[in-house]
Amino acid sequence: MYNPYDFYFKQAKKEWYKARSAFKLDEIQEKFHLFDKTTKHVIDIGCAPWSWLQYAISQAQKHNIKDYKIIWFDIKPVTLNLPGLVTYQQDVTEQEKVKELLREQWLQKVDLIQSDMAPNTTGIKDLDAIRSMGLVEKTLWMYKELLKPSWKFVIKVFMGPGFEEFVAHLKTYFGWRAI
């Protein structure tokens, strides 16, 4: 049974993470090694409450990466003052605008894209899952166009109708590394 005040909630507070989702990213890191000494440029999409962002910064610092840059795009206004972070209030479906903002940061390609975004939920599991996949589908252009050849990305998507087909599509396009 889901307990919003479980071990991970308490651990997040103890480690100053904004939310417990940082520990899910840590599990993914342990298995797939998203962050390493070459992960210098990261795009973070829709990361409020920004625990994934905090985790990415901690990994850059852990790997002693100098001059790392994390670009955060969100449709909501954000003002954060964290090392290596640049924030933009920007809808990522506006491809040319996103590319223009990246050029302002002297970036065309990045090492990693992470997305913890989610739709405004309705409480109807299947509908929320479909809306979650729709959001991810709208961002696929970023993974296809903005990642370096050694691409890495991690996305959150709700499970529901069409989930298996969606994962199969990702595996078809991105190959065996899409898990």
Side-chain angles (χ1 to χ4, degrees), residues 95-154:
Q95 296 180 24
E96 290 310 311
K97 185 64 176 168
V98 168
K99 291 176 186 178
E100 178 186 322
L101 294 171
L102 288 174
R103 282 191 298 273
E104 285 179 11
Q105 297 299 318
W106 301 94
L107 293 174
Q108 291 182 348
K109 302 278 184 177
V110 298
D111 304 302
L112 169 69
I113 298 175
Q114 63 183 29
S115 174
D116 190 25
M117 73 178 170
N120 292 328
T121 55
T122 64
I124 302 169
K125 184 181 176 192
D126 289 349
L127 177 59
D128 291 341
I130 290 167
R131 293 174 65 199
S132 172
M133 283 182 268
L135 276 176
V136 174
E137 287 174 345
K138 291 178 182 179
T139 65
L140 283 178
W141 75 271
M142 297 179 81
Y143 311 108
K144 294 175 179 179
E145 293 183 34
L146 302 179
L147 285 168
K148 292 179 181 175
S150 60
W151 61 267
K152 299 176 195 176
F153 68 89
V154 59

Side-chain angles (χ1 to χ4, degrees), residues 57-99:
I57 291 170
S58 75
Q59 288 297 302
Q61 293 170 342
K62 174 183 174 183
H63 292 288
N64 200 28
I65 298 173
K66 304 293 183 220
D67 301 323
Y68 66 88
K69 191 174 286 189
I70 300 172
I71 310 298
W72 176 11
F73 294 106
D74 202 312
I75 59 172
K76 297 177 182 172
V78 175
T79 304
L80 289 175
N81 186 15
L82 297 171
L85 175 66
V86 178
T87 64
Y88 292 106
Q89 181 181 357
Q90 177 61 51
D91 181 341
V92 294
T93 64
E94 296 177 10
Q95 296 180 24
E96 290 310 311
K97 185 64 176 168
V98 168
K99 291 176 186 178

Side-chain angles (χ1 to χ4, degrees), residues 15-59:
E15 295 187 30
W16 298 99
Y17 283 119
K18 197 76 170 149
R20 61 197 307 277
S21 57
F23 297 108
K24 178 50 71 178
L25 192 53
D26 190 52
E27 285 180 30
I28 295 167
Q29 169 66 10
E30 289 296 318
K31 187 171 183 178
F32 296 104
H33 311 289
L34 298 172
F35 300 94
D36 59 29
K37 63 182 177 175
T38 65
T39 311
K40 187 173 181 177
H41 301 116
V42 177
I43 290 176
D44 191 305
I45 306 168
C47 77
W50 50 274
S51 62
W52 278 25
L53 178 67
Q54 289 176 294
Y55 186 83
I57 291 170
S58 75
Q59 288 297 302

Side-chain angles (χ1 to χ4, degrees), residues 133 136-141 143-144 153 155 162-176 178-179:
M133 283 182 268
V136 174
E137 287 174 345
K138 291 178 182 179
T139 65
L140 283 178
W141 75 271
Y143 311 108
K144 294 175 179 179
F153 68 89
I155 54 178
F163 178 80
E164 296 299 328
E165 294 85 355
F166 181 71
V167 171
H169 169 74
L170 291 178
K171 286 182 178 181
T172 299
Y173 186 84
F174 291 104
W176 65 270
I179 307 280

